[in-house]
């Protein structure tokens, strides 16, 4: 009853927002879209050699199949988050899905390398709109602390395992169909997600008082693009190349200008109070550092399994399956169950230590290492560690955010993840390439030794880079332990989570 007897106060329970009866099906729709966005960062990796042959790409240009996506994604995420706040999350979510599907179809039908690069950039741009609206919809759909923990556990598992799933799906599609299906596969997934979104998702109208900060978008996106582009170009050109130095300098200058402008803009793209919060800033930095190490692992293990151990695309993809399973278990069965009672950093710090220990095991791999004896234990430790970390990062970073800032906060989490992946791929690949070249130069004394020295040199480069990745993981654990001081939500978490206004 919403009205009490005369003289008696109406029960306060009647004023609470009723839970959406379709919220778990809504989670399926949101998770499906997020999975599509995350796995697309890696699904074409295994297919890249086939695409390169089909479209006659040069070795220098083939990286743009990956970089065009990550540059657009990472550079435009902040703008995408603000668009979600302005236009409404459900509407932005549907537009992002439709645009992503169209860009995927364009890439699958590419007749030349330029067409494929452009399609991948379009995919990244629409992903930048889609990802923050998905996370903010999740934040406002689940308001009960216990259900919210489970929902974020599933979401965090997909965010952490989506890249590994991309390798598996990419291997299957490349081996049994062709590389184009790594892009076409997004179309039916997006169609299902659009139908589900129109039927199951609910959202308030956009905030009419939110305005797009165009100067902030130019400065912030330009700075991120310049820095990520600089890291991607450091691998083929070298760290001291004038173009690389110019890109880094321009990126830093643009980001400094961005911060300066955000303090003065009437409607800032990234309200600085979001990143001034100690817990939130710690989560953003932890996410970026963790993904630097994780993407480096994906890159090296893909080449190690296929080039050194001679695995087929499908077998190489399936080799990542234990990692994916461990991430899901760590996120949904450990973090989701403990976050309600344990402080976030009590999960994040052990998670980063586990992930670092897995990477340290991989530093012992050689040309003749066995999968079951050396690779598998490392992947399991890495997966459990990432699963423990991702879920509390997502939940803590978005907790207590005002509804008008939900989209931009979600975008900042995704920006940290995407920029970390881009930096990790470029940085660690440069370390590996340099170390391999130095090893081969020091040990190769004639043509007769090429068959043994070159593979050993390549693996040596991988292990040196993995040492760096382990160091980055330990740094992420240190950041989480020092900066993330939030307490366990407990039974008071409901007051910390903004309750969405009733729909309609």
């Amino acid at each position: 009853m919403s009205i009490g007897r005369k003289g008696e106060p109406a029960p306060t329970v009647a004023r609470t927002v009723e839970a959406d009866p379709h919220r778990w099906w809504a989670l399926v729709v949101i998770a499906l879209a997020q999975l599509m966005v995350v796995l697309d960062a890696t699904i074409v990796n295994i297919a890249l050699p086939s695409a390169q042959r089909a479209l006659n790409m040069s070795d220098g240009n083939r990286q743009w199949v990956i970089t065009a996506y990550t540059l657009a994604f990472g550079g435009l995420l902040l703008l995408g988050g603000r668009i979600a706040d302005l236009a409404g999350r459900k509407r932005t979510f549907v537009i992002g899905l439709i645009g992503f599907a169209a860009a995927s179809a364009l890439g699958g039908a590419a007749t030349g390398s330029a067409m494929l690069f452009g399609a991948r950039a379009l995919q990244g741009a629409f992903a930048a709109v889609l990802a923050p609206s998905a996370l903010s919809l999740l934040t406002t759909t689940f308001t009960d602390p216990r259900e919210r923990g489970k929902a974020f556990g599933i979401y965090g598992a997909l965010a952490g395992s989506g890249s590994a799933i991309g390798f598996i799906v990419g291997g299957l599609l490349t081996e049994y169909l062709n590389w184009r299906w790594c892009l076409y596969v997004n179309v039916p997934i997006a169609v299902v997600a659009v139908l589900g979104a129109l039927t199951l998702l609910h959202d308030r109208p956009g905030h009419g008082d939110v305005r797009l900060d165009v100067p902030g978008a130019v400065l912030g996106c330009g700075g991120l693009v310049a820095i990520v582009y600089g890291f991607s170009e450091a691998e083929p050109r070298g760290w001291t190349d004038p173009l690389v130095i110019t890109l880094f300098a321009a990126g830093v200058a643009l980001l400094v200008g961005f911060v300066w402008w955000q303090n003065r803009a009437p409607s800032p793209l990234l309200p600085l109070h979001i990143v001034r919060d100690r817990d939130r800033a710690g989560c953003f930095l932890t996410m970026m550092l963790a993904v630097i190490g994780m993407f480096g692992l994906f890159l090296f293990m893909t080449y190690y399994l296929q080039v050194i151990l001679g695995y087929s695309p499908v077998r190489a993809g399936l080799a990542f399956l234990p990692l994916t399973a461990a991430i899901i278990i760590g996120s949904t069965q450990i973090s989701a169950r403990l976050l309600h009672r344990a402080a976030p950093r009590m999960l994040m710090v052990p998670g980063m230590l586990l992930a670092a220990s897995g990477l340290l095991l991989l530093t012992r791999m050689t040309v003749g290492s066995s999968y079951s004896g050396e690779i598998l234990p490392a992947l399991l430790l890495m997966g459990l560690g990432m699963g423990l970390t991702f879920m509390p990062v997502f939940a803590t970073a978005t907790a207590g955010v005002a509804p008008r800032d939900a989209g931009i906060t979600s975008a900042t989490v995704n920006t940290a993840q995407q920029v970390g992946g881009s930096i990790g791929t470029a940085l660690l690949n440069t370390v590996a390439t340099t170390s391999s070249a130095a090893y081969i130069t020091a040990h190769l004394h004639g043509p007769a030794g090429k068959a043994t020295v070159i593979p050993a040199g390549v693996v040596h480069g991988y292990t040196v880079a993995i040492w760096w990745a382990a160091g980055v993981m330990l740094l992420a654990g240190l950041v989480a332990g020092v900066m993330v001081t939030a307490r366990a939500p407990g039974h008071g978490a409901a007051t910390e989570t903004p309750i969405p206004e009733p729909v309609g």
Side-chain angles (χ1 to χ4, degrees), residues 336-386:
R337 295 175 184 270
L338 295 179
L339 184 60
H340 190 64
R341 307 194 264 308
R345 65 177 171 183
M346 297 305 293
L347 298 171
M348 295 161 65
V349 173
M352 288 294 90
L353 292 175
L354 277 175
S357 65
L359 289 172
L360 290 174
L361 284 180
L362 287 177
T363 61
R364 302 168 55 192
M365 69 184 185
T366 65
V367 175
S369 294
S370 70
Y371 176 80
S372 59
E374 296 169 72
I375 309 302
L376 179 59
L379 294 179
L380 291 174
L381 286 172
M382 180 80 174
L384 284 174
M386 299 307 290

Side-chain angles (χ1 to χ4, degrees), residues 79-173:
L79 183 61
R82 188 50 83 193
I83 290 173
D85 289 331
L86 174 64
R89 284 130 208 166
K90 178 179 176 179
R91 182 185 302 173
T92 307
F93 184 79
V94 172
I95 291 172
L97 283 169
I98 294 171
F100 196 89
S104 299
L106 180 67
T111 57
S113 58
M115 184 175 174
L116 180 58
F117 299 157
R120 289 287 286 167
L122 274 177
Q123 278 186 304
F126 281 108
V129 173
L130 180 58
S133 59
L135 184 54
S136 55
L137 279 169
L138 181 66
T139 302
T140 55
T141 299
F142 291 90
T143 55
D144 178 83
R146 295 184 184 276
E147 289 191 350
R148 195 169 188 261
K150 293 178 183 177
F152 272 95
I154 294 170
Y155 188 89
L158 288 174
S161 63
S163 298
I165 294 172
F167 285 116
I168 298 170
V169 175
L172 290 168
L173 293 175

Side-chain angles (χ1 to χ4, degrees), residues 27-412:
L27 174 62
V28 172
V29 173
I30 295 169
L32 191 64
Q34 176 67 12
L35 177 62
M36 184 177 67
V37 167
V38 174
L39 68 81
D40 234 69
T42 57
I43 193 171
V44 299
N45 280 32
I46 290 180
L48 188 54
S50 299
Q52 182 180 1
R53 289 192 299 269
L55 300 181
N56 296 314
M57 292 181 223
S58 68
D59 288 346
N61 287 334
R62 66 185 178 187
Q63 64 161 327
W64 284 104
V65 177
I66 309 299
T67 307
Y69 182 84
T70 57
L71 277 175
F73 195 0
L76 296 174
L77 265 168
L78 290 176
L79 183 61
R82 188 50 83 193
I83 290 173
D85 289 331
L86 174 64
R89 284 130 208 166
K90 178 179 176 179
R91 182 185 302 173
T92 307
F93 184 79
V94 172
I95 291 172
L97 283 169
I98 294 171
F100 196 89
S104 299
L106 180 67
T111 57
S113 58
M115 184 175 174
L116 180 58
F117 299 157
R120 289 287 286 167
L122 274 177
Q123 278 186 304
F126 281 108
V129 173
L130 180 58
S133 59
L135 184 54
S136 55
L137 279 169
L138 181 66
T139 302
T140 55
T141 299
F142 291 90
T143 55
D144 178 83
R146 295 184 184 276
E147 289 191 350
R148 195 169 188 261
K150 293 178 183 177
F152 272 95
I154 294 170
Y155 188 89
L158 288 174
S161 63
S163 298
I165 294 172
F167 285 116
I168 298 170
V169 175
L172 290 168
L173 293 175
T174 301
E175 189 159 331
Y176 295 111
L177 294 172
N178 62 54
W179 67 270
R180 296 181 184 274
W181 278 97
C182 291
L183 295 162
Y184 285 143
V185 71
N186 292 319
V187 176
I189 296 175
V191 169
V192 172
V194 167
L195 294 175
L198 295 174
T199 305
L200 299 167
L201 296 182
H202 304 286
D203 188 28
R204 302 181 308 279
H207 295 276
D209 57 339
V210 175
R211 294 291 180 266
L212 291 182
D213 175 18
V214 177
V218 172
L219 290 169
C221 297
L224 286 173
V225 168
I227 287 176
V228 174
Y229 186 25
F231 274 108
S232 68
E233 287 297 301
E235 192 274 321
R237 294 175 178 270
W239 294 102
T240 58
D241 183 85
L243 175 63
V244 174
I245 294 173
T246 301
L247 285 169
F248 284 144
V252 171
L254 287 169
L255 290 180
V256 170
F258 173 76
V259 173
W260 175 84
W261 173 249
Q262 294 309 284
N263 275 316
R264 290 157 179 80
S267 183
L269 181 65
L270 175 60
L272 293 182
H273 66 264
I274 290 175
V275 293
R276 286 194 186 108
D277 180 88
R278 178 172 178 167
D279 293 322
R280 205 165 285 125
C283 287
F284 296 151
L285 189 53
T286 300
M287 171 64 80
M288 186 177 72
L289 292 171
V291 175
I292 285 176
M294 187 176 75
F295 266 59
L297 171 74
F298 289 154
L299 177 69
F300 302 130
M301 291 311 300
T302 300
Y303 281 98
Y304 177 78
L305 292 171
Q306 291 191 75
V307 176
I308 303 300
L309 298 187
Y311 283 23
S312 68
V314 169
R315 191 180 178 190
L318 291 175
F320 285 99
L321 194 57
L323 172 71
T324 304
I327 290 175
I328 293 173
I329 291 171
S331 185
T332 63
Q333 301 304 310
I334 302 177
S335 276
R337 295 175 184 270
L338 295 179
L339 184 60
H340 190 64
R341 307 194 264 308
R345 65 177 171 183
M346 297 305 293
L347 298 171
M348 295 161 65
V349 173
M352 288 294 90
L353 292 175
L354 277 175
S357 65
L359 289 172
L360 290 174
L361 284 180
L362 287 177
T363 61
R364 302 168 55 192
M365 69 184 185
T366 65
V367 175
S369 294
S370 70
Y371 176 80
S372 59
E374 296 169 72
I375 309 302
L376 179 59
L379 294 179
L380 291 174
L381 286 172
M382 180 80 174
L384 284 174
M386 299 307 290
L388 279 172
T389 303
F390 275 127
M391 186 268 175
V393 165
F394 280 122
T396 306
T398 57
V401 179
R404 61 175 286 128
D405 290 328
I408 197 63
T409 304
S410 304
T412 308

